Amino acid sequence: MSKTYPPLPDELGPLNPEQGAAVTHVDGPLLILAGAGSGKTRVLTHRIAYMVHAGIDPMNILAVTFTNKAAHEMKERVSQLTGPRGAKLWVSTFHASCCRILRIDAEHLGYTRRFAIYDDDDQLRLLRQILVDQGQDPKMNPPSAILSKIDHYKNRMDTVDELLRDHRLRPTDPLAKLWRAYEEALRASDAMDFNDLINKVVELFEHHPEVLNKWVDRFHYVMVDEYQDTNAAQYKLLKLLTAKRRNLAVVGDDDQSIYGFRGADIRNILDFKQDFPEATTVRMERNYRCTERILELANAVVAKNGDRIVKRLFTEDKKGGSRVTFRNFDEPREEARGVAIAIRQLHDRGTAWGDIAVIYRTNATSLPFELAFRDAAVPHKVVGGRPFYSRREIRDAVSYVRLVANPADDAAFLRIVNVPPRGIGTTTLTKLRAVATERGEPLLKAARSMAMGQDRVGKALAGFVKMIDQMADAAQVERPAPLIHRVLESTGYLEMLRDDGDAEAQARVDNLNQLLRFATDFEPEEVAGTPIELLHAWLDKATLVGNDEEIPEGGVVTMMTVHNAKGLEYPVVFVVHVVEGQFPHSRAEAEGGVEEERRLAYVAFTRAKDRLVITRHKRSPRFDPRNPNAVGSEPVAASRFLYGIPLDACDGDVPELEAKTEEAAQLARVTRTVEEDKLSAFVTMRRRAAAPPRQDDEGEPAPVDMYRTRPVESAEDLSVGVRVLCEGIGTGTIRQVSPPRVWIAFKGRTEWIQMADHRLQILSD
């Protein structure tokens, strides 16, 4: 018998009909197809609040998402709607949720509750040491490449034994031996990597049904944000947790699935109805973010994908709007300068720096724009720099605390055993590792044995071990902030930085003071028990924090990749370097990822709320490794994603929109480049007087007598591709003929012009 729930209370409105349907659907599987800017966060938070309002115990609700920022925002909004009742909710990332489960039940898998979590840096250090131990040169076999392969397989929940058994990995492949050694080293250090946090919970649930049942009885309702980005492990985890009650609500958009390189499987959302045939589907296609013209462009781009759920975003709130502007430049540096000038002009006209974002496909694109912005005095921040918790001094301080919390954490031991310098060098560490390996014990325990000696090394190790033991005693009674302060002072770390005295050292001291402030303000999501349990909760927070903390709050232009821009929005967005080989990326075709590249373009375009500018360059510097001193360039085609877009939504240097197929588009791009070069040479020869080129819509129009022209004699003269001069605007190329008008792309703008307009003349040969 189905349950009856109360009507939606006034305080949870207003919602549009689709949002209301999603919010009030409580029992059974639910697929919410939430297009970009359709209010999915509002629906998620209001759905949780409605369930609490309907009498469901918040302890029985689990909501998971992919970033700490999204989780924090969701929890804050729910708290505002539910008050104290929402405090018991689990709203966190996949990794944080699984970490909390493992802190309670990891012992079933042979780990202690104080297990360490190895991040990328820890993993690379570990793999580098394994290579050395196996007699391999890390320079010839880079640890980063090995880690990438291991991550690839772990994302798909593959193990080395399964790969060997299924003949997907040869027994002679060096990866098999390295991977086994890597897993053994993790286990010996009572440590897991990031992938393990989810994979180990799946393993726990599959092999210990009593543990699974405990958590199934805890979480009656599971909600997942960004479901299109889930991988195999996350998919299995959700299936296990919801198999009994089938109360799984997922929110996502297959058109925004852009993390295939991390193992995300778009089939999870495309096949949701196959996994849950009884599921209710709610389509949220009304967009509250973008103008109508931006949506027209974005819809046209993504509609060419074949593997998608058909949908079309629309707006009732932002009809019309500025046309999407296209800008062509000769080469990348000119493109960067042009964008910098345009941004300065926007700011001079009243647009705040923080309302502008520059989005590109890869981080390698940022350099010319950084240089141009610096020259143009455009304040900016590049997202994707060194995150706070990845800075050297922060990692050192956290490593001390990790070793205090988990004496088996060899990675933490190796990082700080000689920081500040204590006379414990490579020779001592080699001997120490040999003793630890022979005895099968952690490095700290082996150091305690070697510290019994009376030589210089023994005394150095004895001092280090004693210091760690004293801090371990303090950790039993002190909160994280005073413990970290004790670490920084008693180890001599702060003294080392103060003695250095230069500006960089002072900046590191400032960062450590910021770490202390973070630790002072730390409040666990659930009431922690003992001080050591609170310390583990703080370490988990510090280790699992993502790069989303690096998104600037305002006052500067934000520069970032499309992946970093996901989930964000700005009044003005510049999407740059939209050319073949960069967007889509040159690897996309070979890797079968053109559809994901098109989804990336869709995501990039829909970050813009009011104004979208798309830029490209026509030539790119050519590097010849056989002749490094050679200077030259080569043509670059406009991105295929710019073909077939709606003309009425566009303005500026629109590409060859009349091309009907990809093959025709490629030919049109090459032809256009050649013809433009010819025309440029012709115009230069025919000019009677030099004049500056038109810069923008507010510049002075080019004089008519600057070109040799002939009058329009008949409508047949105005065909696609014909170069024309329009008095008061300048020269342009006819892109579309739609009597009685022609669509003309001028430098800096695109306009419909009446065919009978007497200002219109044809450039003669």
Side-chain angles (χ1 to χ4, degrees):
M1 183 176 179
S2 60
K3 299 178 184 177
T4 302
Y5 294 97
L8 190 72
D10 292 340
E11 60 265 29
L12 294 184
L15 300 170
N16 69 35
E18 294 76 25
Q19 292 174 336
V23 166
T24 55
H25 183 284
V26 177
D27 295 313
L30 173 65
L31 171 61
I32 305 171
L33 292 171
S38 62
K40 72 177 180 65
T41 303
R42 180 177 177 83
V43 165
L44 279 167
T45 54
H46 281 61
R47 185 173 188 270
I48 295 173
Y50 174 74
M51 293 165 70
V52 174
H53 172 80
I56 294 172
D57 189 340
M59 286 277 288
N60 297 140
I61 301 173
L62 170 66
V64 291
T65 186
F66 279 83
T67 69
N68 294 286
K69 181 182 178 182
H72 179 72
E73 180 183 358
M74 197 186 306
K75 188 152 191 175
E76 277 202 339
R77 289 199 192 183
V78 171
S79 296
Q80 292 170 1
L81 294 169
T82 63
R85 290 178 296 173
K88 295 180 180 179
L89 283 165
W90 267 35
V91 182
S92 60
T93 65
F94 272 101
H95 289 91
S97 296
C98 289
C99 182
R100 291 172 69 178
I101 291 172
L102 290 168
R103 287 292 176 208
I104 296 171
D105 286 318
E107 291 169 344
H108 291 275
L109 298 175
Y111 294 85
T112 70
R113 293 188 180 186
R114 63 190 182 191
F115 65 86
I117 303 171
Y118 279 18
D119 62 14
D120 290 348
D121 189 69
D122 296 320
Q123 293 170 266
L124 290 171
R125 285 170 176 262
L126 178 58
L127 281 167
R128 190 174 293 109
Q129 186 59 53
I130 290 171
L131 286 166
V132 172
D133 291 345
Q134 294 187 2
Q136 299 188 46
D137 185 354
K139 293 181 180 179
M140 300 300 294
N141 199 0
S144 58
I146 300 167
L147 182 58
S148 178
K149 292 178 182 178
I150 293 175
D151 280 346
H152 170 83
Y153 288 123
K154 281 194 169 187
N155 275 326
R156 290 156 178 76
M157 287 213 72
D158 290 323
T159 66
V160 64
D161 290 333
E162 291 170 343
L163 293 172
L164 290 170
R165 183 191 64 213
D166 299 340
H167 305 292
R168 287 182 287 160
L169 194 65
R170 298 189 310 275
T172 56
D173 192 322
L175 178 63
K177 186 178 179 181
L178 289 167
W179 189 356
R180 286 190 192 279
Y182 171 75
E183 295 296 342
E184 290 169 1
L186 282 176
R187 175 71 73 164
S189 294
D190 192 20
M192 302 182 195
D193 62 25
F194 279 111
N195 285 318
D196 286 336
L197 293 176
I198 299 175
N199 292 5
K200 294 296 183 185
V201 172
V202 172
E203 180 185 340
L204 178 69
F205 287 173
E206 288 181 334
H207 293 90
H208 298 274
E210 74 284 2
V211 177
L212 171 62
N213 290 334
K214 178 181 71 173
W215 290 102
V216 166
D217 289 340
R218 166 74 186 268
F219 298 124
H220 298 183
Y221 298 89
V222 179
M223 296 176 61
V224 186
D225 189 15
E226 306 287 7
Y227 187 67
Q228 76 278 352
D229 293 330
T230 52
N231 62 22
Q234 291 155 348
Y235 172 80
K236 284 187 179 182
L237 173 67
L238 295 169
K239 292 274 284 186
L240 287 165
L241 275 175
T242 60
K244 180 178 179 180
R245 294 182 176 84
R246 299 179 75 76
N247 291 329
L248 174 62
V250 302
V251 185
D253 180 9
D254 54 299
D255 287 336
Q256 296 186 75
S257 179
I258 59 173
Y259 291 102
F261 69 99
R262 291 185 188 169
D265 188 351
I266 193 174
R267 301 308 316 176
N268 291 347
I269 191 168
L270 295 178
D271 296 342
F272 187 82
K273 292 283 285 186
Q274 294 183 27
D275 294 331
F276 297 92
E278 75 277 28
T280 297
T281 301
V282 176
R283 293 171 178 267
M284 289 169 45
E285 297 171 285
R286 180 175 175 178
N287 177 282
Y288 293 89
R289 176 192 300 155
C290 309
T291 64
E292 186 175 31
R293 281 172 168 147
I294 292 172
L295 293 180
E296 286 178 24
L297 172 67
N299 283 328
V301 170
V302 80
K304 291 187 177 181
N305 273 358
D307 206 7
R308 66 185 290 261
I309 301 170
V310 177
K311 67 186 80 68
R312 186 173 184 83
L313 295 183
F314 68 94
T315 180
E316 297 290 344
D317 310 85
K318 302 180 76 170
K319 293 287 190 179
S322 300
R323 287 186 172 90
V324 177
T325 304
F326 290 83
R327 290 286 184 266
N328 288 342
F329 299 91
D330 286 335
E331 47 86 26
R333 286 176 298 179
E334 182 186 326
E335 181 180 358
R337 286 192 294 268
V339 170
I341 291 169
I343 289 175
R344 279 224 64 98
Q345 291 174 341
L346 284 169
H347 182 259
D348 292 343
R349 295 169 188 167
T351 304
W353 297 121
D355 287 343
I356 304 172
V358 177
I359 298 176
Y360 33 79
R361 174 64 181 84
T362 63
N363 278 313
T365 304
S366 71
L367 182 58
F369 293 91
E370 291 182 69
L371 297 174
F373 289 0
R374 208 167 292 144
D375 291 342
V378 173
H380 60 281
K381 177 178 173 93
V382 180
V383 174
R386 192 75 167 159
F388 180 80
Y389 281 96
S390 294
R391 293 166 186 163
R392 186 178 73 195
E393 63 278 8
I394 303 302
R395 293 185 60 83
D396 289 343
V398 171
S399 292
Y400 269 109
V401 179
R402 279 173 44 182
L403 187 59
V404 167
N406 177 10
D409 190 342
D410 284 352
F413 178 96
L414 289 170
R415 182 176 184 91
I416 48 84
V417 67
N418 201 42
V419 180
R422 300 184 178 89
I424 303 173
T426 304
T427 302
T428 302
L429 289 177
T430 301
K431 186 184 299 184
L432 183 61
R433 287 178 58 84
V435 171
T437 302
E438 181 183 350
R439 298 179 179 179
E441 58 189 22
L443 291 172
L444 182 61
K445 189 173 182 179
R448 185 171 281 108
S449 300
M450 289 181 63
M452 302 299 289
Q454 296 302 310
D455 57 357
R456 181 186 58 80
V457 172
K459 290 179 179 179
L461 287 173
F464 177 77
V465 171
K466 181 180 180 181
M467 180 179 62
I468 297 297
D469 288 344
Q470 288 173 342
M471 289 189 289
D473 291 339
Q476 302 299 320
V477 295
E478 292 182 349
R479 290 179 62 88
L483 180 66
I484 295 169
H485 185 265
R486 178 188 294 272
V487 164
L488 296 175
E489 291 289 357
S490 63
T491 61
Y493 198 94
L494 277 178
E495 183 181 0
M496 173 185 70
L497 292 178
R498 290 171 185 145
D499 289 345
D500 195 317
D502 64 10
E504 182 180 351
Q506 182 55 50
R508 295 186 186 280
V509 171
D510 293 342
N511 286 336
L512 290 169
N513 287 331
Q514 182 66 28
L515 178 70
L516 285 168
R517 285 191 285 272
F518 286 161
T520 301
D521 296 338
F522 171 68
E523 291 293 338
E525 293 187 16
E526 288 191 343
V527 178
T530 65
I532 195 68
E533 289 174 332
L534 182 63
L535 183 63
H536 279 295
W538 179 83
L539 278 171
D540 291 343
K541 179 80 172 179
T543 306
L544 296 174
V545 69
N547 289 354
D548 43 89
E549 69 186 49
E550 295 295 305
I551 304 299
E553 293 296 327
V556 295
V557 174
T558 303
M559 302 172 59
M560 58 190 153
T561 65
V562 188
H563 288 100
N564 282 327
K566 179 77 163 56
L568 303 177
E569 58 183 38
Y570 295 87
V572 181
V573 169
F574 288 77
V575 183
V576 300
H577 282 205
V578 187
V579 297
E580 287 292 314
Q582 294 193 43
F583 207 163
H585 197 278
S586 57
R587 294 194 305 265
E589 208 113 38
E591 296 175 1
V594 173
E595 292 212 345
E596 179 155 319
E597 292 287 316
R598 190 174 280 110
R599 293 193 292 269
L600 278 163
Y602 173 80
V603 168
F605 299 158
T606 54
R607 300 311 94 195
K609 297 167 66 175
D610 303 311
R611 185 167 182 179
L612 173 62
V613 181
I614 299 172
T615 70
R616 60 161 289 220
H617 50 271
K618 293 183 286 187
R619 303 191 71 81
S620 182
R622 180 178 63 243
F623 175 73
D624 185 353
R626 295 168 298 182
N627 187 8
N629 295 320
V631 178
S633 63
E634 55 191 0
V636 180
S639 170
R640 71 191 73 180
F641 301 154
L642 303 182
Y643 290 82
I645 56 180
L647 292 174
D648 288 342
C650 305
D651 194 1
D653 305 322
V654 185
E656 297 288 347
L657 301 174
E658 69 275 9
K660 301 300 183 184
T661 65
E662 294 296 339
E663 293 76 15
Q666 294 283 357
L667 178 61
R669 286 194 283 267
V670 175
T671 303
R672 180 183 181 193
T673 299
V674 172
E675 292 303 314
E676 284 183 344
D677 288 346
K678 288 181 179 178
L679 179 64
S680 176
F682 163 74
V683 169
T684 300
M685 292 172 59
R686 298 294 194 273
R687 283 182 179 175
R688 299 178 187 172
R694 183 182 182 88
Q695 294 298 317
D696 55 44
D697 295 352
E698 297 181 358
E700 292 295 323
V704 175
D705 66 355
M706 188 174 167
Y707 305 97
R708 178 170 295 181
T709 62
R710 60 182 176 85
V712 177
E713 297 178 353
S714 66
E716 285 72 26
D717 289 338
L718 299 177
S719 58
V720 172
V722 170
R723 296 284 294 179
V724 295
L725 172 69
C726 186
E727 184 179 352
I729 299 178
T731 63
T733 303
I734 297 177
R735 296 293 179 229
Q736 184 171 329
V737 178
S738 182
R741 300 182 302 166
V742 287
W743 178 257
I744 302 176
F746 299 100
K747 185 177 180 65
R749 66 191 296 177
T750 308
E751 272 189 30
W752 285 106
I753 301 293
Q754 295 293 325
M755 296 178 71
D757 195 322
H758 294 295
R759 298 181 302 156
L760 203 60
Q761 301 181 58
I762 298 172
L763 286 171
S764 61
D765 295 327

